[in-house]
Amino acid sequence: DVKAFIEGDGSTGIQAGSVTLKAEDTSKISAVTGAATLAAAVGAVGVGVSIGVAGAYNVISNDVAAFIIDATVTTNDYDYTTQNSPNELIKGDRVQFNGEIYEYIGIDRLDPTNILPAVNLATEVYTNEALWKKVDKTIQVAAVEAATISALTTAASFGAGFGLAGVAVSGAGATATNIILTKTNAYVTDSKLVSSGDVVLKASDTSTINAIVAASSAAIAGGAAGVGVSFGASMARNLIGWDLFGNKT
């Protein structure tokens, strides 16, 4: 299982500039399965029998979830407004300006002796990217399923019989079953979300199956009486979101 979550928030709630929960599954199966057989017979009565069978069974089953349960999450957290004039300004301090939040990323402005003028936040240039960074105030909860199965299954058979009476029987069969059984959920339960930005809940499933199944068979018989029999069969079952019994997952 793949999960990203907040469950409970303590006594004071959760406050941050932005909150992103993302659970992502990129499981991958790459499988190659093959079978090859050869039979030959020579004599007064030549009988050659060859049978080749190949089978593959590939399954990915995961529960992918991103969620918030029983929590208060706030993404409008800041330390000052532009009406404040703190004596010091250090990295990470946040200021609310025109409804947006900006985080100070410049050199710490320290005044241990309290003799320097206070920092006038009303005159700061918040578009100066060397000193200030605009904070994304969104709350995003995302669950992403991107499982992939790539499978190649092949079977080949060749039979030959030579004699006064030549009999050759050749058969090949290939079967492949590829299943992706996943649950992908993004949700919020019994919680309070406070954000001046976007609140995004997203669940997506882009699972893919790429499968090639092939069977080849050949029979050659030679003699006064020659009989050649060849048969081949291939079958593929590729299921996303359903099991072999037709149950939706």
Side-chain angles (χ1 to χ4, degrees):
D1 293 352
V2 182
K3 295 182 179 181
F5 62 91
I6 295 173
E7 186 168 0
D9 58 13
S11 59
T12 59
I14 296 172
Q15 297 185 3
S18 62
V19 173
T20 299
L21 297 176
K22 184 177 182 180
E24 183 174 10
D25 176 32
T26 57
S27 299
K28 180 181 291 187
I29 293 177
S30 297
V32 177
T33 307
T37 61
L38 170 66
V42 178
V45 178
V47 179
V49 179
S50 176
I51 298 175
V53 178
Y57 186 80
N58 303 304
V59 180
I60 294 177
S61 179
N62 284 318
D63 184 0
V64 183
F67 55 88
I68 299 174
I69 296 178
D70 192 24
T72 297
V73 180
T74 303
T75 60
N76 197 28
D77 188 33
Y78 56 89
D79 302 292
Y80 306 109
T81 69
T82 53
Q83 299 189 8
N84 297 126
S85 296
N87 290 327
E88 298 180 341
L89 193 64
I90 62 175
K91 282 185 179 181
D93 282 347
R94 292 182 173 181
V95 179
Q96 185 187 52
F97 172 67
N98 283 346
E100 301 292 346
I101 306 296
Y102 293 87
E103 181 177 316
Y104 183 66
I105 59 174
I107 298 173
D108 291 348
R109 304 182 196 178
L110 303 177
D111 183 18
T113 60
N114 289 325
I115 62 174
L116 297 176
V119 179
N120 186 352
L121 296 177
T123 62
E124 289 290 315
V125 181
Y126 294 100
T127 56
N128 184 348
E129 296 181 355
L131 298 178
W132 295 97
K133 176 181 70 174
K134 187 177 179 181
V135 176
D136 182 4
K137 297 172 293 184
T138 62
I139 298 175
Q140 180 168 298
V141 181
V144 179
E145 175 59 76
T148 302
I149 295 178
S150 299
L152 171 63
T153 306
T154 62
S157 177
F158 175 78
F162 300 97
L164 292 177
V167 179
V169 178
S170 175
T175 179
T177 300
N178 304 298
I179 305 174
I180 297 179
L181 301 175
T182 57
K183 297 179 181 179
T184 308
N185 295 290
Y187 59 92
V188 175
T189 303
D190 297 330
S191 299
K192 180 180 180 181
L193 306 183
V194 181
S195 174
S196 53
D198 296 331
V199 175
V200 180
L201 294 179
K202 179 182 178 182
S204 65
D205 189 337
T206 57
S207 300
T208 58
I209 295 176
N210 303 305
I212 297 175
V213 181
S216 59
S217 176
I220 299 176
V227 178
V229 178
S230 175
F231 60 90
S234 62
M235 181 178 67
R237 288 183 290 183
N238 301 308
L239 306 172
I240 297 179
W242 300 81
D243 63 20
L244 288 173
F245 304 102
N247 298 315
K248 186 176 181 180
T249 63

